[in-house]
PDB file of all heavy atoms in Angstrom:
ATOM      1  N   ALA V 152      43.470 -47.925 -47.502  1.00  0.00           N
ATOM      2  CA  ALA V 152      42.205 -48.539 -47.883  1.00  0.00           C
ATOM      3  C   ALA V 152      42.424 -49.735 -48.801  1.00  0.00           C
ATOM      4  O   ALA V 152      43.139 -49.648 -49.797  1.00  0.00           O
ATOM      5  CB  ALA V 152      41.304 -47.511 -48.561  1.00  0.00           C
ATOM      6  N   ALA V 153      41.785 -50.846 -48.445  1.00  0.00           N
ATOM      7  CA  ALA V 153      41.950 -52.081 -49.217  1.00  0.00           C
ATOM      8  C   ALA V 153      41.477 -51.941 -50.648  1.00  0.00           C
ATOM      9  O   ALA V 153      42.035 -52.544 -51.570  1.00  0.00           O
ATOM     10  CB  ALA V 153      41.200 -53.215 -48.523  1.00  0.00           C
ATOM     11  N   GLU V 154      40.446 -51.128 -50.868  1.00  0.00           N
ATOM     12  CA  GLU V 154      39.924 -50.974 -52.225  1.00  0.00           C
ATOM     13  C   GLU V 154      40.904 -50.245 -53.151  1.00  0.00           C
ATOM     14  O   GLU V 154      40.906 -50.454 -54.360  1.00  0.00           O
ATOM     15  CB  GLU V 154      38.572 -50.254 -52.221  1.00  0.00           C
ATOM     16  CG  GLU V 154      38.578 -48.851 -51.654  1.00  0.00           C
ATOM     17  CD  GLU V 154      38.253 -48.806 -50.165  1.00  0.00           C
ATOM     18  OE1 GLU V 154      38.563 -49.805 -49.473  1.00  0.00           O
ATOM     19  OE2 GLU V 154      37.729 -47.780 -49.713  1.00  0.00           O
ATOM     20  N   ILE V 155      41.770 -49.407 -52.556  1.00  0.00           N
ATOM     21  CA  ILE V 155      42.781 -48.707 -53.354  1.00  0.00           C
ATOM     22  C   ILE V 155      43.822 -49.705 -53.861  1.00  0.00           C
ATOM     23  O   ILE V 155      44.230 -49.682 -55.029  1.00  0.00           O
ATOM     24  CB  ILE V 155      43.457 -47.596 -52.525  1.00  0.00           C
ATOM     25  CG1 ILE V 155      42.461 -46.474 -52.225  1.00  0.00           C
ATOM     26  CG2 ILE V 155      44.688 -47.046 -53.257  1.00  0.00           C
ATOM     27  CD1 ILE V 155      43.009 -45.381 -51.332  1.00  0.00           C
ATOM     28  N   ILE V 156      44.238 -50.603 -52.980  1.00  0.00           N
ATOM     29  CA  ILE V 156      45.207 -51.634 -53.361  1.00  0.00           C
ATOM     30  C   ILE V 156      44.576 -52.600 -54.360  1.00  0.00           C
ATOM     31  O   ILE V 156      45.188 -52.987 -55.357  1.00  0.00           O
ATOM     32  CB  ILE V 156      45.711 -52.380 -52.116  1.00  0.00           C
ATOM     33  CG1 ILE V 156      46.416 -51.399 -51.176  1.00  0.00           C
ATOM     34  CG2 ILE V 156      46.655 -53.512 -52.510  1.00  0.00           C
ATOM     35  CD1 ILE V 156      46.699 -51.938 -49.812  1.00  0.00           C
ATOM     36  N   SER V 157      43.336 -52.971 -54.103  1.00  0.00           N
ATOM     37  CA  SER V 157      42.638 -53.898 -55.000  1.00  0.00           C
ATOM     38  C   SER V 157      42.480 -53.314 -56.401  1.00  0.00           C
ATOM     39  O   SER V 157      42.524 -54.034 -57.397  1.00  0.00           O
ATOM     40  CB  SER V 157      41.265 -54.241 -54.418  1.00  0.00           C
ATOM     41  OG  SER V 157      41.382 -54.895 -53.168  1.00  0.00           O
ATOM     42  N   GLU V 158      42.299 -51.998 -56.462  1.00  0.00           N
ATOM     43  CA  GLU V 158      42.088 -51.324 -57.740  1.00  0.00           C
ATOM     44  C   GLU V 158      43.273 -51.484 -58.690  1.00  0.00           C
ATOM     45  O   GLU V 158      43.096 -51.590 -59.907  1.00  0.00           O
ATOM     46  CB  GLU V 158      41.814 -49.838 -57.492  1.00  0.00           C
ATOM     47  CG  GLU V 158      41.547 -49.026 -58.740  1.00  0.00           C
ATOM     48  CD  GLU V 158      41.400 -47.540 -58.448  1.00  0.00           C
ATOM     49  OE1 GLU V 158      41.836 -47.096 -57.365  1.00  0.00           O
ATOM     50  OE2 GLU V 158      40.846 -46.831 -59.304  1.00  0.00           O
ATOM     51  N   VAL V 159      44.487 -51.504 -58.132  1.00  0.00           N
ATOM     52  CA  VAL V 159      45.684 -51.569 -58.976  1.00  0.00           C
ATOM     53  C   VAL V 159      46.148 -52.996 -59.233  1.00  0.00           C
ATOM     54  O   VAL V 159      47.108 -53.210 -59.978  1.00  0.00           O
ATOM     55  CB  VAL V 159      46.841 -50.752 -58.353  1.00  0.00           C
ATOM     56  CG1 VAL V 159      46.443 -49.302 -58.192  1.00  0.00           C
ATOM     57  CG2 VAL V 159      47.280 -51.345 -57.013  1.00  0.00           C
ATOM     58  N   CYS V 160      45.481 -53.975 -58.624  1.00  0.00           N
ATOM     59  CA  CYS V 160      45.845 -55.380 -58.824  1.00  0.00           C
ATOM     60  C   CYS V 160      45.013 -55.987 -59.951  1.00  0.00           C
ATOM     61  O   CYS V 160      43.898 -55.546 -60.223  1.00  0.00           O
ATOM     62  CB  CYS V 160      45.639 -56.178 -57.544  1.00  0.00           C
ATOM     63  SG  CYS V 160      46.843 -55.804 -56.250  1.00  0.00           S
ATOM     64  N   GLN V 161      45.550 -57.018 -60.563  1.00  0.00           N
ATOM     65  CA  GLN V 161      44.826 -57.690 -61.645  1.00  0.00           C
ATOM     66  C   GLN V 161      43.590 -58.425 -61.135  1.00  0.00           C
ATOM     67  O   GLN V 161      42.640 -58.634 -61.872  1.00  0.00           O
ATOM     68  CB  GLN V 161      45.753 -58.668 -62.363  1.00  0.00           C
ATOM     69  CG  GLN V 161      46.868 -57.989 -63.143  1.00  0.00           C
ATOM     70  CD  GLN V 161      47.804 -58.989 -63.785  1.00  0.00           C
ATOM     71  OE1 GLN V 161      48.134 -60.013 -63.197  1.00  0.00           O
ATOM     72  NE2 GLN V 161      48.238 -58.705 -65.011  1.00  0.00           N
ATOM     73  N   GLY V 162      43.629 -58.826 -59.874  1.00  0.00           N
ATOM     74  CA  GLY V 162      42.485 -59.534 -59.307  1.00  0.00           C
ATOM     75  C   GLY V 162      42.466 -59.433 -57.798  1.00  0.00           C
ATOM     76  O   GLY V 162      43.482 -59.114 -57.164  1.00  0.00           O
ATOM     77  N   THR V 163      41.303 -59.684 -57.224  1.00  0.00           N
ATOM     78  CA  THR V 163      41.119 -59.615 -55.767  1.00  0.00           C
ATOM     79  C   THR V 163      40.254 -60.779 -55.317  1.00  0.00           C
ATOM     80  O   THR V 163      39.309 -61.163 -55.999  1.00  0.00           O
ATOM     81  CB  THR V 163      40.436 -58.294 -55.365  1.00  0.00           C
ATOM     82  OG1 THR V 163      41.296 -57.191 -55.696  1.00  0.00           O
ATOM     83  CG2 THR V 163      40.137 -58.256 -53.863  1.00  0.00           C
TER      84      THR V 163
END
Side-chain angles (χ1 to χ4, degrees):
E154 61 268 29
I155 292 176
I156 299 168
S157 298
E158 181 185 18
V159 301
C160 289
Q161 292 177 321
T163 296

